Amino acid sequence: MLNSNDRHSGKMEPNLRNQSFEYLSNRCSSKINNFLVLCIYEQNNQFHDFNNKFKTHKLKDSKGFLTFKDGLNNKSFVIWEHAYKENEELFAKLRLTARNETLSHIAQHVVFYLLSEYDRISTGNHAILKDKHLMEDSIYQMEKKLKKDTFLAEKTVWEDFYSWFRLLVKEWVLEEIALTIGFNEMERLDDQALNKLFYSHLTKHFTENTEFLSKVTDIVNEYIKKWIDKIMIEFNIENNTIEKIENLLCFKRDLQTSDVLLSTMRDFAFNFTIQDHLLVMNSAPYQSVRDAIYKKKFEIIENNPWPATPILKGNTEGYIQIIPFGNDHTTLEQSNVKEAWNRFHSLSDVDVDVFDALCSLFLSKAAHNEETVEICLNDLLSIRGLKPKLGGFGRRGGYEPKQREQILKSLTNIQSIWININKATIYENGKPVQTKLQGRTFIFKDRAGVEYDISEETCRKKITFTIDKVFAKYLNGSARQVALLSIKALQYNPYKQLWEKRLTRYLSWRWRTQARKGDFLQPNKTSTLMESIGEKLNDRT
């Protein structure tokens, strides 16, 4: 614990001052109401560059790798316990996010150490050291192992950490108050006044005092370093072998190709503000496309033979059509119209899952609306909670051909969707503007910027795409319309849990549209909920 002489100077002799403070601290500490320091981690829309982090780790060696840097890498806020209890569900999620961020740092540290050992004792091609995705998965698997198989799975361990941290900052702040206003004046303060003064000092430290944040960070790092040392002991990191390290890193070797294969899905949740939620668009056209896909209420409108369904949401009017890629929406050919109706009949809730996955991955990777991003086809399977099969005994692991075919079919259906907005209100420079918009949802382009048709050949492993101008208009500046969607919406079974899947999406969209008024507790009619998932209410029952 830091000595007060590091932070203050005063006329009182150090020994006498310490004795006086110890006596006063015991009297005043019990008067301070229980409080929490809430860490809010800023959203990171870019994938982590673990390869460069690993290189830095190797240069500094394990002792030089810190869990936190620069004031805990976050914004911290002080709240009283009664305020926490009034909004417990929200704050509990934020606390869990902060805890998981800490576990992720610890997992990185352990994985980097194991990889360093792997590099030292192995020979040949080190695929795990070169592939950033494999490194991501190893870190994710280590994080799961820490949560499940180590002492960090025990709730009391974290409660002890919180208690230690609160006591530490409480002593520091009380000592500062005593040295600022004097011991006698501090002792004369009633409980309310003391708590008010304490809260003021502590809040100011976390928002303005870089020296305080630096010292808090240092001592938290030391605390967590002891956790890491204990984890190393639990894992028995001695006399390492390649097989032992591979087992700890949770990856297998294909006996035929010696490639490294992953045992479970990659974690996409770390890119978002609250754990287990995806960031997706929330505009009226976006939600209308979702509705149109799973409700499948397409028909012929105004003698136009393409399958169409109207958009009527708020002040947005228009229609959605299914027009296969490569066809001008004004040019009609009988074979293409027939293909459009075939695609209408093949629409499914899996298409909506892929639609949301594309949106989420675009928002997480694109720096601006016109950027073309690249993803792996397997990403669209992983984000839906599907797990690849393990290899072994001469067999190659991975996803099944029928799973990949289903994704390609969904991508083809999504590529066929055409949006025509006759009336919409968008915001430019903070002012509402009436406009008309036309375009597709996502545009699939190769690296040369040329659009291509979805097929097994063009999407064998990678997909490159961007958003069309309709969606782009709703992602500009402060008018950006996005929402958090529980990842469970994509992972519910599309046949056995259909209502859960659709309700999750509808409620996410509805709550986001109510956010401006803060009217989250407005009740929903049963008929409205039924209609939102494409079911009719049976008035007779």
Side-chain angles (χ1 to χ4, degrees):
M1 196 170 293
L2 299 177
N3 189 291
S4 60
N5 292 321
D6 294 334
R7 303 186 303 280
H8 305 287
S9 61
K11 298 180 180 180
M12 190 178 298
E13 291 296 328
N15 289 339
L16 178 60
R17 183 173 62 192
N18 288 341
Q19 291 173 9
S20 300
F21 173 70
E22 183 178 356
Y23 168 75
L24 186 62
S25 177
N26 291 333
R27 290 174 57 88
C28 294
S29 182
S30 60
K31 297 181 180 180
I32 301 300
N33 297 329
N34 201 14
F35 64 93
L36 296 93
V37 178
L38 195 64
C39 302
I40 309 293
Y41 286 87
E42 294 186 354
Q43 179 179 317
N44 179 9
N45 281 336
Q46 302 298 323
F47 286 106
H48 298 290
D49 191 346
F50 289 115
N51 294 84
N52 282 334
K53 284 188 175 185
F54 178 55
K55 291 175 184 178
T56 303
H57 172 80
K58 288 179 68 176
L59 289 173
K60 292 184 176 181
D61 72 41
S62 60
K63 293 181 181 178
F65 184 81
L66 299 179
T67 304
F68 295 106
K69 298 178 291 184
D70 306 326
L72 303 184
N73 292 340
N74 59 73
K75 295 180 180 179
S76 299
F77 302 89
V78 182
I79 58 172
W80 292 118
E81 187 176 41
H82 69 82
Y84 175 88
K85 290 182 177 180
E86 289 174 358
N87 301 275
E88 190 165 1
E89 184 175 355
L90 170 63
F91 288 137
K93 286 184 178 180
L94 294 175
R95 289 182 72 188
L96 182 60
T97 300
R99 179 188 299 187
N100 286 327
E101 183 74 12
T102 303
L103 282 167
S104 179
H105 282 290
I106 296 173
Q108 287 179 46
H109 185 103
V110 176
V111 167
F112 288 170
Y113 173 81
L114 291 171
L115 289 176
S116 298
E117 286 290 285
Y118 186 84
D119 190 28
R120 181 179 64 82
I121 65 178
S122 65
T123 57
N125 182 30
H126 303 159
I128 188 68
L129 303 179
K130 299 177 182 179
D131 191 318
K132 70 173 185 177
H133 295 311
L134 295 175
M135 194 175 292
E136 282 178 18
D137 285 295
S138 292
I139 291 170
Y140 171 63
Q141 294 303 322
M142 181 56 66
E143 187 176 338
K144 287 179 65 176
K145 186 184 288 288
L146 294 177
K147 291 178 181 178
K148 182 180 178 182
D149 301 329
T150 71
F151 67 93
L152 292 177
E154 300 173 11
K155 185 177 180 181
T156 54
V157 171
W158 293 93
E159 293 301 329
D160 289 344
F161 170 72
Y162 301 147
S163 297
W164 166 83
F165 185 78
R166 277 195 295 265
L167 180 62
L168 177 76
V169 296
K170 185 190 291 187
E171 288 183 352
W172 287 358
V173 173
L174 287 175
E175 182 178 5
E176 180 186 87
I177 293 174
L179 295 174
T180 301
I181 67 175
F183 289 159
N184 293 334
E185 180 62 26
M186 181 177 174
E187 196 169 16
R188 282 195 292 266
L189 292 175
D190 59 30
D191 291 3
Q192 184 177 356
L194 180 61
N195 274 280
K196 184 177 181 180
L197 189 59
F198 176 87
Y199 182 84
S200 175
H201 277 257
L202 185 55
T203 300
K204 186 175 181 180
H205 279 320
F206 274 109
T207 55
E208 301 176 11
N209 192 334
T210 56
E211 182 182 2
F212 175 86
L213 286 174
S214 178
K215 290 179 179 179
V216 168
T217 302
D218 288 342
I219 203 162
V220 168
N221 276 328
E222 285 299 316
Y223 194 104
I224 293 178
K225 186 177 181 300
K226 293 179 181 178
W227 277 357
I228 295 173
D229 292 340
K230 187 175 179 180
I231 289 167
M232 297 298 191
I233 294 173
E234 284 194 12
F235 286 168
N236 190 24
I237 310 293
E238 293 180 3
N239 302 318
N240 284 316
T241 64
I242 291 177
E243 291 76 16
K244 182 178 179 180
I245 293 175
E246 287 179 349
N247 183 56
L248 286 170
L249 290 175
C250 298
F251 65 83
K252 306 285 184 182
R253 285 182 176 274
D254 186 301
L255 299 178
Q256 184 176 2
T257 64
S258 295
D259 290 333
V260 181
L261 295 174
L262 306 178
S263 60
T264 57
M265 67 168 284
R266 190 181 311 160
D267 180 25
F268 290 87
F270 69 85
N271 285 312
F272 306 97
T273 306
I274 297 180
Q275 188 193 30
D276 298 329
H277 285 71
L278 304 173
L279 197 66
V280 295
M281 285 180 263
N282 201 64
S283 62
Y286 186 85
Q287 178 64 14
S288 296
V289 171
R290 282 166 155 178
D291 288 346
I293 292 174
Y294 68 72
K295 291 182 180 179
K296 297 177 67 170
K297 293 184 178 179
F298 286 82
E299 57 188 1
I300 295 177
I301 297 179
E302 297 178 355
N303 297 320
N304 191 326
W306 300 114
T309 186
I311 297 176
L312 295 170
K313 287 189 181 295
N315 55 10
T316 303
E317 297 178 6
Y319 53 90
I320 296 169
Q321 292 176 297
I322 297 178
I323 305 176
F325 175 77
N327 292 274
D328 187 319
H329 69 286
T330 60
T331 303
L332 301 177
E333 291 186 15
Q334 190 63 34
S335 61
N336 293 331
V337 172
K338 182 178 180 181
E339 175 62 22
W341 283 98
N342 287 338
R343 292 187 183 178
F344 153 67
H345 290 297
S346 71
L347 293 175
S348 71
D349 284 74
V350 175
D351 299 346
V352 189
D353 292 341
V354 176
F355 186 68
D356 278 335
L358 287 173
C359 178
S360 177
L361 291 169
F362 178 82
L363 293 177
S364 70
K365 300 190 75 170
H368 53 81
N369 294 344
E370 297 178 359
E371 184 174 353
T372 298
V373 301
E374 181 182 79
I375 63 172
C376 296
L377 185 66
N378 286 351
D379 289 345
L380 299 176
L381 291 160
S382 296
I383 202 169
R384 293 183 54 230
L386 302 177
K387 297 180 180 180
K389 289 187 175 180
L390 295 177
F393 301 104
R395 301 191 308 272
R396 179 177 294 277
Y399 291 102
E400 298 178 0
K402 64 179 182 180
Q403 292 176 312
R404 295 170 58 83
E405 290 171 6
Q406 186 181 46
I407 292 297
L408 288 172
K409 181 179 178 181
S410 292
L411 289 172
T412 300
N413 288 341
I414 291 169
Q415 189 179 38
S416 303
I417 294 174
W418 178 268
I419 305 174
N420 192 323
I421 304 294
N422 299 322
K423 174 186 174 184
T425 301
I426 62 172
Y427 287 82
E428 295 180 355
N429 300 320
K431 296 181 180 179
V433 177
Q434 292 288 326
T435 187
K436 295 182 178 181
L437 298 167
Q438 282 188 343
R440 297 192 183 272
T441 56
F442 299 99
I443 302 177
F444 299 86
K445 297 181 178 181
D446 59 24
R447 294 185 177 180
V450 179
E451 290 188 51
Y452 61 84
D453 196 4
I454 296 295
S455 69
E456 178 64 33
E457 292 300 317
T458 58
C459 304
R460 187 176 297 276
K461 289 185 178 180
K462 304 281 187 178
I463 303 170
T464 49
F465 69 98
T466 186
I467 56 173
D468 206 350
K469 52 192 174 185
V470 177
F471 286 168
K473 283 290 186 180
Y474 292 89
L475 290 176
N476 291 327
S478 60
R480 175 180 165 102
Q481 294 184 26
V482 294
L484 287 171
L485 171 69
S486 171
I487 199 170
K488 290 291 290 183
L490 280 67
Q491 296 176 357
Y492 280 129
N493 187 294
Y495 304 104
K496 297 179 180 179
Q497 297 170 304
L498 191 61
W499 285 15
E500 292 90 334
K501 181 182 286 288
R502 294 179 179 181
L503 277 173
T504 300
R505 283 195 170 89
Y506 173 75
L507 293 174
S508 167
W509 174 76
R510 187 69 182 129
W511 287 331
R512 184 64 186 88
T513 58
Q514 290 173 312
R516 180 176 295 180
K517 297 180 180 179
D519 194 10
F520 299 107
L521 299 180
Q522 181 180 353
N524 290 278
K525 292 182 179 179
T526 305
S527 58
T528 301
L529 295 177
M530 294 290 285
E531 194 279 331
S532 73
I533 62 175
E535 299 289 343
K536 291 184 178 180
L537 184 66
N538 189 334
D539 294 325
R540 292 174 60 189
T541 58

